[in-house]
Structures are given as structure tokens and as C-alpha cells.
Amino acid sequence: SAVISQKPSRDICQRGTSLTIQCQVDSQVTMMFWYRQQPGQSLTLIATANQGSEATYESGFVIDKFPISRPNLTFSTLTVSNMSPEDSSIYLCSVVGQGVGGYTFGSGTRLTVV
Amino acid sequence: SQKIEQNSEALNIQEGKTATLTCNYTNYSPAYLQWYRQDPGRGPVFLLLIRENEKEKRKERLKVTFDTTLKQSLFHITASQPADSATYLCANNAGNMLTFGGGTRLMVKP
């Protein structure tokens, strides 16, 4: 199955600033997915990123707050913009697994906004 | 609306026993369900997928069942070990969107 490198693994940021999270996949994939996991909660899909087109955002998430880039079939970035303490979460990228199914996830970025 | 739910309370069991975790879904009929393991500070790791026409699937000490009448999937870990302690998530995808249950934290005590 694919291997995803996600960075940074964690960061502490000042409110009002932005953080860009990167995910690199070791194989070409059509779709990459970005999730948020708030403290003590399960994962919620933020958006789906396709190469060559705008990302598709889920209800409650907007491009101005979470701009996404997908310059090629192995790489994507998620930016958390104008951060507030409510944005403190773990952010994860994911791709569809190959073979027996399931999805492969990055190791996550733990973001704390102070 | 579609819902996928897990028991939010932690499950504490003794080493060597079988752990059974439950995933219930309402208002839809998923074609298949997936189970993941998540350790603290890590991303989920895919364990098993079971299709609606499969009553049971096994992988080593893991077993998953799918009961479309009860609208429920059960996840079993036999001969549990302290290393099995983690949060276990069930999930379903509608198209490419993966929807997760809230997860159940399993603690296996030596």
C-alpha cells in the first residue's frame, strides 16, 4: 500500500497566523483527502483534492479558511488560515488504499493555536 | 441522515480474553464497512474491510462480522494482548467520502 509522509508532525502557532501542512505520497494517486480530528473526537472530512482541479469541500469547511493545493499526483498541501484556538486539532491526509481496500493515512499534524 | 455509531465508553478487558467492539449504522445500507486502529498521536491504520454479502472476515486474531438485519458490525480480537490497546474506528464510504464512527478505546490489562 501507499506510504504517506506528512509534515510537520506538530506545531504551536500564534492566533491569526497560517500553517501549511504537506503530504507526499510514494505513488501516484488520483484523489487525496484531508481530515480534521478535534480533541477526543473522530475524524471529519475537510475536502477532497484532485490534481488539476479545485478541491471539493465538505459542509462547514470553506476554501478561504482551508486552501488546498494539488500540484501533481503525489503531493498536496492544506493551509489552515487566520488560525484561532478552535483550530487546534490533528490534521490528517489520506489516500485510497490499493489491493484489499481501506484508506492509508499520514501520521498527522498536531496543531495547537495559542 | 446517515449515522455510524460506536460505543464511546472505553472497553477494559483482561489479557487473553476476547474483545468485542460494536459498530451500528442507521438510515442507510452500506455496501461495506471498514475497521481501523488508531494509536495516540498517529493516523488510523486500516485493518479489515467486510462487504455486505460477507457475514464474516478474519485476519490473524481479528474477526469482523456484518449483520445487515441488525445493521451492525462486530469487531473481535481474540487472545487479546496489552499491545492491542488502542482506539478502534469503524468507517463507511459513500463514494469516496469516508465517514467514521466515534471510535471505541480498548484497554487490555496484563
Side-chain angles (χ1 to χ4, degrees):
Chain A
S1 59
V3 176
I4 301 176
S5 298
Q6 182 174 344
K7 59 182 182 182
S9 59
R10 58 177 63 225
D11 207 341
I12 301 173
C13 300
Q14 297 290 323
R15 67 176 68 203
T17 63
S18 298
L19 175 71
T20 295
I21 302 166
Q22 301 180 4
C23 275
Q24 178 76 51
V25 189
D26 69 345
S27 58
Q28 294 185 338
V29 292
T30 305
M31 286 179 285
M32 292 181 72
F33 306 90
W34 287 97
Y35 287 84
R36 181 175 73 182
Q37 187 171 28
Q38 294 177 299
Q41 304 286 318
S42 192
L43 287 80
T44 301
L45 182 65
I46 297 172
T48 302
N50 293 311
Q51 192 265 336
S53 63
E54 270 198 13
T56 302
Y57 289 82
E58 297 302 316
S59 176
F61 298 97
V62 294
I63 188 171
D64 289 346
K65 176 67 175 176
F66 298 101
I68 287 171
S69 79
R70 185 80 203 276
N72 57 54
L73 291 173
T74 64
F75 187 78
S76 180
T77 68
L78 170 77
T79 299
V80 186
S81 303
N82 188 24
M83 289 184 285
S84 66
E86 291 71 37
D87 295 319
S88 298
S89 291
I90 298 173
Y91 293 86
L92 301 117
C93 61
S94 174
V95 300
V96 178
Q98 288 124 22
V100 295
Y103 287 59
T104 301
F105 285 82
S107 55
T109 297
R110 182 182 291 274
L111 170 62
T112 302
V113 184
V114 297
Chain B
S1 61
Q2 297 179 358
K3 279 189 177 179
I4 185 164
E5 295 176 313
Q6 297 179 255
N7 188 348
S8 59
E9 291 185 17
L11 177 63
N12 295 297
I13 64 167
Q14 205 66 36
E15 181 176 9
K17 301 292 186 184
T18 296
T20 299
L21 287 70
T22 304
C23 177
N24 295 297
Y25 57 91
T26 54
N27 299 328
Y28 73 116
S29 298
Y32 49 88
L33 289 169
Q34 306 179 27
W35 284 88
Y36 290 80
R37 168 181 174 146
Q38 187 175 27
D39 291 284
R42 310 291 296 177
V45 174
F46 172 70
L47 296 174
L48 282 168
L49 178 152
I50 185 166
R51 294 179 170 79
E52 63 177 341
N53 62 350
E54 297 175 317
K55 291 212 180 312
E56 178 181 301
K57 182 166 277 188
R58 293 176 184 259
K59 179 182 174 183
E60 298 172 354
R61 293 184 296 111
L62 309 180
K63 183 177 84 171
V64 174
T65 62
F66 195 168
D67 189 327
T68 55
T69 301
L70 294 178
K71 294 185 178 292
Q72 181 179 84
S73 176
L74 298 179
F75 177 83
H76 306 272
I77 305 176
T78 58
S80 60
Q81 304 166 1
D84 295 325
S85 298
T87 295
Y88 291 86
L89 303 160
C90 67
N92 164 249
N93 51 315
N96 293 306
M97 177 178 172
L98 200 58
T99 302
F100 284 89
T104 299
R105 186 176 177 198
L106 173 66
M107 297 286 294
V108 181
K109 299 183 179 180

